[in-house]
Amino acid sequence: MTTSSRTLGDLFNAFEHEAFRLETLDDYSKSGSVDAYQAFLAGESQPDGYNAGWVERLRSYTEEGKRVYRVHILSRPLTDYLRFELGWGYQKNMTGGEEFFILDVTEKPNPLENVPDFWLFDSEAVAVMSYDGSGKYLGSEVHPVGRAEQFKRYRDSALAHAEPFAEWWAKYEA
């Protein structure tokens, strides 16, 4: 992976082994899939082509032997948005090979309090994600390579405290 990439898109195009995401918010409803979220809230069925572009991209990554995985820090009861994201998004993305883990802080302290959302690519390139209070994506900032160590520690801590999504979902599906 080259470290001269300066945008999140560049990092996705260049990673060679793994892409890790930490999600910390309860609501990303203004960031994408807005129509699908509204359909979910209305009790409609998931559209056939929902998230198809991302699923195909995931499938191409996994076919190349690349790993895409994430940890979502959350607490119960789930927000409407989290029920949508986990029930529609995660379930759909898993068909493309993405892996999910849940760090449920309902009954325990959050070991990553105040850590921002981020993507970590090949343990060396970091993009920190910014959102407003309503869950609207504002952009990302690619950090210098020297900052990766801090985010690797965040990733490792998140994974150490999380459980596989399928196991968590079987216990708490909303």
Side-chain angles (χ1 to χ4, degrees):
M1 167 178 221
T2 63
T3 56
S4 62
S5 298
R6 300 309 309 157
T7 69
L8 182 59
D10 292 337
L11 297 176
F12 268 106
N13 290 333
F15 86 96
E16 296 175 359
H17 304 288
E18 64 177 35
F20 170 81
R21 169 76 190 270
L22 181 70
E23 291 181 305
T24 65
L25 302 179
D26 292 333
D27 186 351
Y28 298 93
S29 62
K30 305 285 191 284
S31 294
S33 302
V34 174
D35 292 339
Y37 179 53
Q38 293 305 316
F40 172 83
L41 290 175
E44 298 174 17
S45 298
Q46 187 180 82
D48 288 337
Y50 172 69
N51 226 15
W54 177 242
V55 171
E56 283 307 310
R57 193 168 184 187
L58 287 167
R59 197 167 285 123
S60 72
Y61 292 145
T62 56
E63 286 172 355
E64 293 172 7
K66 298 176 182 180
R67 182 181 188 199
V68 180
Y69 61 118
R70 67 179 78 198
V71 171
H72 199 134
I73 301 172
L74 55 74
S75 61
R76 296 173 275 111
L78 298 179
T79 63
D80 287 341
Y81 182 82
L82 286 176
R83 288 185 311 101
F84 161 73
E85 181 179 49
L86 278 57
W88 280 22
Y90 283 16
Q91 301 287 341
K92 185 72 162 191
N93 293 1
M94 288 169 56
T95 66
E98 188 169 3
E99 301 171 51
F100 297 94
F101 300 86
I102 301 296
L103 198 169
D104 188 334
V105 296
T106 303
E107 298 172 356
K108 61 184 174 186
N110 181 349
L112 296 168
E113 191 73 36
N114 299 318
V115 172
D117 280 42
F118 67 88
W119 279 100
L120 176 64
F121 297 88
D122 295 332
S123 296
E124 63 184 35
V126 177
V128 174
M129 317 293 285
S130 295
Y131 296 87
D132 72 10
S134 69
K136 180 180 179 183
Y137 177 63
L138 300 175
S140 59
E141 179 184 357
V142 176
H143 283 244
V145 173
R147 296 277 319 270
E149 287 303 316
Q150 174 184 9
F151 289 90
K152 285 171 30 180
R153 287 191 298 275
Y154 294 153
R155 176 203 57 203
D156 295 346
S157 179
L159 289 167
H161 291 91
E163 64 183 292
F165 169 70
E167 294 173 19
W168 183 89
W169 189 249
K171 291 187 279 190
Y172 301 113
E173 179 178 356

